[in-house]
Amino acid sequence: MKRLGLFYLFTLLSITSFAQVTIKLQAQNVLRKQVLAEAEWAMKQSPVTVTAESSPLSTGGKHDFFSQADYFWPNPANPSGPYINRDGETNPANFIAHRKAMIRFSTIIGALASAYQLTSNEKYVKQAVIHLKAWFVNTETLMNPNLAFSQAVIGSSTGRSWGIIDTIHLMEVAQGIVVMEKAKSLNKNDLSKIKKWFADYILWLNTSKNGVAEKVAKNNHSACWVMQVASFAKLVKDEAMLDSLRWMYKNVQLPNQMATDGSFPLELARTKPYGYSIFNLDAFTMICQILSTPKDNLWKYETADGKSIQKGITYLYPFVADKSKWTLKPDVMFWNNWPVAQPFLIFGASQFNNYDWYTTWKKLDLKPINEEVIRNLPIRHPLIWM
C-alpha cells in the first residue's frame, strides 16, 4: 500500500516538476564542495562597504555608491575635456572600488546562504548578519539606498541611469536573506531594518529621474531593472510591485527586445554581441525564475507571434555549447572569457527538462574569476534560487 501511495504521488508530479527536483539535487552534488569551501572563506572576512574608500571624482557623500562609466575614455583630441564613448572597451583606469566591494559582499552572502541551505548551520547566518548590518543598518558604514552617482562620466555627468545596472550584485544578497530570514541568528529588528533599506531603494528606483529612465530603456538595462527590482520586491513581499513587473515582462521586455527567432537584435548590434546576448538571456531567465507563480508562469508565457523564454534559450544554446558556430564577429573584448556556467542553462534545464542544457552548464566554468565576467554574472550561487 505504501508503495502504491508513493507511485500515485509521483504520477501527480509533472515531468517538469520532477526535473526541477532532480536537477536541484544533482546541482547540489556538483556544487557542494565549492560552496562549503567558499563559505569557509566567507567566515573569515570582515565587512567592506562603500565607506571604506572614496573617489575625489564623486559628487556624492561618504555613504553614496560611486562608479564610472565603463566604456568612456579621455578624448585624445581634447585630453582635459569630457570623456568620449568607446563601446565595449572597458577603461581600466576607472574607479571601481565600490563595485568591487559590492561584488565581494554578494559573494560572501551568496556563499553563506548556500552553505546554510545545505547544512542548516547557524554559524553561516551569524557571519552573514555582520555584513548585512554593515551595509544596511550601521550608521557609520551603511550605503545610502540610491544609485544617483553611479557610472559617472568625467566632464558630462555626475551619475547616469545606466549605472543602476551596478546593483544587480545586490540580488544574491536579497535572495540570501530570503533563504536565511527564518534562522534564529537573524533577529526581527535587524531584518526589519534591512528590509526597509530595500523598500527605500525600490521606491528610489521607481521615482528618481535615473531610476525611471533605466526602467524604460530599450535593451538589457531595462531587463536588468526588472530583474533586480523583482528580487528586492520578493524580499520585502511587495506584491503590487511584483504584479507590475510580470506585466512589464509580458508586455514590454519580451515583445520589444526579442525577435521571433529568439535573438536580441539590440544586443547583437553591440561591439560585444556574444557576451551581451548571453547577459540579456540570463536576465530574462532570472525574471522568469523570480516572478513566476502557478497562476502566472512566465516560463510558459508566449507572445502572439511566438516569442518566449524557451525560444530565447533554444536560439542561443547552440552557440554556447559550441562557440565556433557563432556567425557574427567576435566580441571586441573578453571574447575568450565567455561562456561560463550561465544561469539560463541550469534554470532552463530545470524548467524544460532538458539535460543537454544541464550537462553543458556542468561542463562550463562554475567559478569564474575574470572581473569582467563576474561584473556581468550576478547569479553565481544558483542553489539559493532553486
Side-chain angles (χ1 to χ4, degrees), residues 20 105 122 188 242 262 323 339 351 373:
Q20 289 172 351
F105 178 39
E122 291 272 339
K188 291 182 179 180
L242 292 169
K323 193 161 68 170
Q351 289 293 328
V373 170

Side-chain angles (χ1 to χ4, degrees), residues 89-161:
E89 300 181 45
T90 301
N91 185 344
N94 283 345
F95 177 84
I96 57 171
H98 288 177
R99 182 188 290 161
K100 290 179 72 173
M102 185 173 288
I103 290 172
R104 177 181 180 271
F105 178 39
S106 174
T107 301
I108 288 169
I109 299 301
L112 294 171
S114 298
Y116 174 70
Q117 187 179 54
L118 288 174
T119 67
S120 299
N121 193 323
E122 291 272 339
K123 72 176 184 179
Y124 298 119
V125 183
K126 291 178 182 178
Q127 174 71 353
V129 168
I130 295 171
H131 292 266
L132 293 170
K133 290 176 70 174
W135 276 84
F136 304 130
V137 179
N138 297 342
T139 56
E140 288 299 312
T141 58
L142 62 74
M143 171 184 158
N144 288 333
N146 71 74
L147 240 64
F149 309 100
S150 59
Q151 293 204 21
V153 178
I154 292 177
S156 61
S157 175
T158 58
R160 307 183 308 151
S161 62

Side-chain angles (χ1 to χ4, degrees), residues 54-76:
S54 61
S55 169
L57 299 172
S58 175
T59 56
K62 176 183 177 182
H63 298 275
D64 291 310
F65 181 98
F66 175 75
S67 64
Q68 290 180 261
D70 295 273
Y71 304 147
F72 280 76
W73 296 69
N75 184 352

